[in-house]
Amino acid sequence: MRARPLLAALLALASGAAACSSEDARAPGLAAPAAPPSASDGGATAAAAAVAASPAAAAPPGDPAHGQRLVAELQCNRCHDGTGQAPAPRDAHCVQCHQDIAAGRFQAPAAAMKRWNENLVQLRDVPSLAAAGDRLRRDWIRGFLLAPRDLRPRLHATMPRLAIGPEQASDIAAYLTRDRRERRDRPATSLEGASAARGRELYEAKGCGTCHAFTGVTGLSAVAPVKPMEKETRAAVALAPDLRHARDRSEPADLVAWVLDPGAIKPGTPMPQVPMSPAEARDIAAFLVTAPLAPPAPGSVPERLPLLSRRVTYEEVDRRVFRGTCRHCHSEPDYALGDGGPGNTGGFGFKPRGLNLATYEGIAAGYVDDQGERRSVFSRGPGGAPRLVAALLARQAEEAGRADPAARGMPLGLPALGAEEIQLVESWIAQGRPQ
């Protein structure tokens, strides 16, 4: 086994809670690409997406005690603070490891630190789950867990699709909202009398668009985001949600309280307290919840490129794809104190699949199916593509709003690979996987 600093460093670069591996009934994220959406569902093929689309959808109240156990089993504390669980060990906390590397606190050779920092864009900032009950609707949390979508345009990672069902999502939502405070000074839920027009003027005058996007609202003055030079500024910009979701995520009264004093609700939030009166906060909230929204732009899947005619070697594929992306979850156990990532030794609620993408031999060994049998990632799935390629294509489909409930795209929770990278992998497989 290697020295601890190198092991911990590899774990930091090869775990990523928002980028964990997955499984489905057929294989660990290695299923056929998602089918095209029907005209009636607008691209949401999963039943869970329909639940998530309506914040008022009826849902069971949930069992907070079971939700607490699920939060522990899913290892939410490896990315998120505010889970109510003890913090994950430093060398197993994905975000804190990345933050340590970015700040130069990680114990590793200078050359390695320089190389890592040049490529370290993922998982430096993740929202805390503290005071979720004071900010978020319980049913919205449930729906989001079942059908995650991109809420933060300037944050690279997104919430991964976990291996949970509706009842489990209800239990987790019940646990996260268990401590909601009924504040006496919180305005009434009704925004009657508030001016959305004045709220729009205040939104622009107070510079809300400096950090926040508000897609679907036409005519807002363009504001260039601040340069993320300092930690607090970078976090504020990265974690600022697209406000088109505000009306679904939060009750109007909670929006008013948050706009007035976010730190009083969630201590440590990078959202600044902007000076304003309670009346102005109500006007801004009225604008957020009533502004007409244009439909979201339809997502598109990149065109699949033909196989390359030139020779493609494992060294090139490893350098351009496996080493930079796939090893986040499918690593060598000996590199990281026995943790080979959720796609190899298990984690984040996923079974051990034994898929090690850190070496040529590991990739050739394939993965372990539900029957304990070894299966090749190069065998063709139901859609005709090699399973490894199908998983990459499925992630592109997810980003376009065409998630297949039977397949989790890879890399889970991270941006999809580009068409040229997938072309490279597919060409290498078609050429017999030369070293």
Side-chain angles (χ1 to χ4, degrees):
M1 186 174 290
R2 304 187 183 188
R4 183 180 180 91
L6 181 56
L7 303 181
L10 188 51
L11 177 60
L13 296 174
S15 51
C20 27
S21 176
S22 66
E23 59 177 323
D24 59 48
R26 296 171 289 181
L30 301 172
S38 66
S40 62
D41 72 3
T45 59
V51 175
S54 174
D63 178 356
H66 186 231
Q68 182 177 21
R69 293 194 295 272
L70 286 170
V71 166
E73 292 170 9
L74 296 170
Q75 299 177 312
C76 301
N77 63 343
R78 288 184 66 175
C79 260
H80 296 284
D81 294 331
T83 64
Q85 309 288 329
R90 196 74 177 182
D91 58 2
H93 195 299
C94 310
V95 178
Q96 290 182 359
C97 276
H98 283 213
Q99 291 173 345
D100 284 350
I101 292 171
R105 294 189 296 262
F106 206 90
Q107 298 301 310
M113 291 283 285
K114 181 178 183 298
R115 184 173 68 253
W116 294 337
N117 269 303
E118 288 173 351
N119 300 294
L120 186 57
V121 296
Q122 310 288 2
L123 295 175
R124 292 178 61 180
D125 302 290
V126 174
S128 169
L129 301 180
D134 292 322
R135 301 178 289 116
L136 304 173
R137 301 178 195 260
R138 187 203 68 199
D139 286 351
W140 181 87
I141 295 174
R142 174 183 182 269
F144 181 73
L145 289 171
L146 292 172
R149 51 208 176 277
D150 190 2
L151 295 177
R152 295 174 169 83
R154 300 186 182 112
L155 194 66
H156 287 84
T158 60
M159 180 70 188
R161 291 173 59 203
L162 299 173
I164 59 175
E167 290 187 8
Q168 293 169 308
S170 292
D171 293 345
I172 294 171
Y175 169 67
L176 293 178
T177 58
R178 70 199 181 283
D179 292 331
R180 178 178 172 84
R181 296 170 295 177
E182 296 300 334
R183 293 168 41 126
R184 293 181 181 179
D185 59 339
R186 184 161 294 180
T189 301
S190 172
L191 294 177
E192 184 177 357
S195 170
R198 175 60 178 157
R200 179 179 181 130
E201 294 174 357
L202 290 165
Y203 176 94
E204 299 203 80
K206 294 182 180 296
C208 302
T210 303
C211 294
H212 289 281
F214 198 173
T215 60
V217 177
T218 59
L220 288 176
S221 300
V223 178
V226 295
K227 295 181 179 180
M229 299 298 292
E230 299 180 355
K231 175 184 176 182
E232 294 77 9
T233 305
R234 186 200 68 246
V237 172
L239 296 176
D242 184 340
L243 294 176
R244 76 172 294 128
H245 306 291
R247 64 192 65 184
D248 297 332
R249 299 174 76 217
S250 304
E251 298 286 351
D254 295 338
L255 281 174
V256 173
W258 177 260
V259 170
L260 272 174
D261 191 355
I265 297 172
K266 184 182 178 183
T269 177
M271 169 84 174
Q273 183 179 10
V274 180
M276 69 180 71
S277 68
E280 289 176 323
R282 293 178 70 247
D283 289 342
I284 291 175
F287 171 56
L288 296 180
V289 302
T290 65
L293 298 178
S300 60
V301 177
E303 182 180 354
R304 193 167 169 185
L305 300 177
L307 297 175
L308 294 168
S309 58
R310 67 172 179 82
R311 189 170 186 266
V312 179
T313 64
Y314 166 75
E315 186 281 329
E316 182 181 5
V317 177
D318 182 57
R319 172 170 45 83
R320 292 183 55 186
V321 179
F322 298 148
R323 190 180 307 168
T325 302
C326 303
R327 291 189 192 181
H328 280 75
C329 294
H330 304 274
S331 187
E332 263 303 349
D334 284 348
Y335 283 177
L337 304 177
D339 185 346
N344 188 350
T345 53
F348 302 104
F350 298 107
K351 297 177 182 178
R353 292 299 184 175
L355 181 54
N356 173 18
L357 300 180
T359 67
Y360 183 88
E361 294 75 18
I363 297 171
Y367 67 95
V368 177
D369 67 13
D370 286 336
Q371 288 70 46
E373 299 290 333
R374 279 276 168 188
R375 302 292 181 188
S376 173
V377 296
F378 306 121
S379 63
R380 300 198 175 271
R387 289 189 178 274
L388 180 58
V389 173
L392 303 178
L393 295 171
R395 181 60 182 150
Q396 289 185 336
E398 287 173 357
E399 289 189 337
R402 303 179 186 180
D404 183 346
R408 285 183 182 82
M410 295 292 124
L412 193 70
L414 289 180
L417 267 63
E420 292 184 355
E421 293 169 304
I422 296 178
Q423 177 193 43
L424 192 72
V425 175
E426 191 165 13
S427 299
W428 174 65
I429 295 172
Q431 294 176 17
R433 309 184 298 278
Q435 287 188 284

